[in-house]
Amino acid sequence: MKERLEALKQEALQELEQVQSQQELNELRIKYLGKKGPLTEILRGMGALSAEERPVIGQVANDVRAAIESVVEEKQAAYLQGETEARLRAERIDVTLPGRPSPQGAVHPLNKVVQEIEDIFIGMGFTIAEGPEVETDYYNFEALNLPKGHPARDMQDSFYISEEILLRTQTSPMQPRTMLAKKGELPIKIISPGKVYRRDDDDATHSHQFTQIEGLVLDRNIRMSDLKGTLLQFVRELYGQDARIRLRPSFFPFTEPSVEVDVSCFLCGGSGCRLCKQSGWIEILGAGMVHPRVLEMAGYDPNECSGFAFGMGPERVAMLKYGVEDIRHFYTNDLRFLKQFVHL
Ligand code: 2NL
């Protein structure tokens, strides 16, 4: 029996020596060490041996099993090692390759101007009040002293959704909304930036959808000089400390008196050039003292408080600032246009 075991060992080791694949190795493991293998069979037959022989043969059988197992494990380990090495080789990363560039976006030139204007007013203690683009007729017109039948609210000029609902034609509705929410509390210092809509045929200087920034200051004893000082400070921060302003009389239904605000031409400094059409001045704002009717409708007593309001078009500010000749460039998203502002 001892000889049979030795022969089995030799045979197994010889076969293992020749093994070509992990699958073959597994087959040999089952063949020699499995439950149906010759070793198990020999061990099972040990009952027939004498008491002296049994431990000796048992020892030999265990040695044979251990020898075969050890070669199988050694080969298995070598296969695993080979697999790991192959994977490392296959998945190696070349850290010297240049990276894939991820395209970087930039703030839209119009938004950049809006943010710049917002920052200036925030610095003067204003807060930002944003509101819905779909408005009621009441907030868009009525509360701003534009009663039904007023020529400025011609159906032809506004996008009506129903009798009482329309796309806002100005950002002003946020101002009566804010005043009503404050329930008579003072002061109010807000700016309202956002999109507005008018029924217009688009051309180089008109768009059916554009941007506005309006401001409102309301407190006791607010005077025209507060309007003038605030807007002068604003244009100095926007165009530089040498900027000057002048006020010309004008008309808006929601302010009385009303003014147009010109800023000294930031291209020629006021001496006259192509940009300011030789006048030395560029119109950038409309403004005025809030009409007493507007205050009353929003729950404020015009004998107790007063305020000024102003409005401007960021498209116009951006067109002048960057020399853009067609307002439609801001909305058509032509990358050749937009990319010119990436590094500004
Ligand atoms: C312009 C002129 C302006 C206002 C807007 C306003 C709002 C309230 C009361 C009084 Cl609630 N006024 N807004 C006042 C004057 C001018 O805008 O040229 N905008 C582009």
Side-chain angles (χ1 to χ4, degrees):
M1 189 162 259
K2 195 173 166 187
E3 288 74 41
R4 263 183 70 197
L5 281 166
E6 284 299 336
L8 185 64
K9 177 174 155 186
Q10 289 311 318
E11 185 196 323
L13 295 183
Q14 212 165 354
E15 267 201 86
L16 281 167
E17 206 51 54
Q18 316 276 314
V19 85
Q20 295 291 341
S21 70
Q22 225 173 336
Q23 193 190 339
E24 258 181 65
L25 179 66
N26 203 36
E27 283 163 10
L28 288 180
R29 186 178 57 76
I30 292 164
K31 178 175 170 187
Y32 287 104
L33 303 171
K35 280 201 193 85
K36 289 183 184 138
L39 204 54
T40 312
E41 199 187 309
I42 290 167
L43 289 168
R44 223 180 263 134
M46 285 201 358
L49 296 173
S50 68
E52 295 84 54
E53 269 184 314
R54 218 178 285 150
V56 181
I57 296 301
Q59 180 68 48
V60 176
N62 279 336
D63 290 349
V64 169
R65 166 175 279 275
I68 297 171
E69 268 176 355
S70 117
V71 174
V72 167
E73 272 162 31
E74 194 180 289
K75 296 236 169 223
Q76 179 68 20
Y79 275 120
L80 284 179
Q81 169 90 10
E83 253 176 34
T84 308
E85 275 166 11
R87 258 183 68 190
L88 284 175
R89 229 176 293 120
E91 295 176 10
R92 191 173 65 187
I93 295 166
D94 182 353
V95 295
T96 67
L97 278 176
R100 288 195 197 90
S102 49
Q104 199 172 4
V107 179
H108 190 282
L110 191 54
N111 288 335
K112 219 173 324 206
V113 165
V114 171
Q115 284 168 10
E116 201 179 330
I117 294 170
E118 285 175 353
D119 286 347
I120 294 172
F121 283 105
I122 287 169
M124 292 196 274
F126 286 69
T127 53
I128 294 176
E130 286 178 309
E133 290 171 25
V134 179
E135 256 301 356
T136 60
D137 182 275
Y138 181 80
Y139 285 117
N140 194 76
F141 290 129
E142 202 83 25
L144 293 161
N145 199 30
L146 284 142
K148 291 216 158 64
H150 193 287
R153 48 187 292 177
D154 194 330
M155 287 286 291
Q156 305 297 309
D157 299 335
S158 313
F159 288 110
Y160 272 90
I161 289 161
S162 69
E163 283 271 303
E164 292 298 321
I165 312 274
L166 75 163
L167 298 183
R168 66 181 180 191
T169 60
Q170 43 192 356
T171 51
S172 333
M174 262 329 279
Q175 310 189 354
R177 275 177 179 277
T178 305
M179 287 190 268
L180 284 167
K182 288 266 195 176
K183 296 184 191 300
E185 203 182 300
L186 290 170
I188 293 177
K189 278 174 87 175
I190 55 164
I191 55 165
S192 304
K195 287 180 193 162
V196 300
Y197 302 83
R198 304 251 174 106
R199 282 177 68 167
D200 235 337
D201 291 322
D202 293 0
D203 63 24
T205 52
H206 296 81
S207 171
H208 62 284
Q209 181 257 286
F210 57 103
T211 315
Q212 265 197 348
I213 299 183
E214 284 198 52
L216 171 72
V217 171
L218 194 59
D219 205 349
R220 286 176 230 285
N221 302 316
I222 296 291
R223 297 180 298 244
M224 198 82 182
S225 53
D226 297 304
L227 180 163
K228 198 175 173 186
T230 303
L231 296 182
L232 176 60
Q233 180 60 21
F234 165 65
V235 303
R236 282 179 171 169
E237 289 193 45
L238 189 64
Y239 293 116
Q241 288 302 314
D242 295 332
R244 289 162 289 125
I245 57 170
R246 75 173 180 187
L247 310 187
R248 287 179 289 113
S250 184
F251 175 81
F252 301 109
F254 25 82
T255 45
E256 182 59 37
S258 304
V259 291
E260 305 274 359
V261 182
D262 296 340
V263 59
S264 51
C265 180
F266 37 83
L267 194 61
C268 64
S271 56
C273 67
R274 194 184 74 99
L275 187 67
C276 59
K277 299 195 181 77
Q278 310 306 325
S279 74
W281 296 97
I282 292 175
E283 184 194 323
I284 60 153
L285 290 141
M289 302 308 291
V290 180
H291 197 289
R293 286 281 300 127
V294 173
L295 293 179
E296 270 167 8
M297 283 187 279
Y300 283 81
D301 182 351
N303 299 309
E304 289 283 315
C305 63
S306 51
F308 67 84
F310 55 88
M312 70 187 116
E315 279 87 350
R316 187 172 153 71
V317 175
M319 286 170 87
L320 291 165
K321 178 168 174 154
Y322 298 124
V324 176
E325 309 228 310
D326 192 320
I327 195 170
R328 291 168 293 193
H329 283 310
F330 292 122
Y331 314 115
T332 42
N333 289 329
D334 186 330
L335 287 176
R336 292 169 302 180
F337 172 74
L338 295 174
K339 279 183 174 165
Q340 297 176 63
F341 301 93
V342 167
H343 300 293
L344 289 183

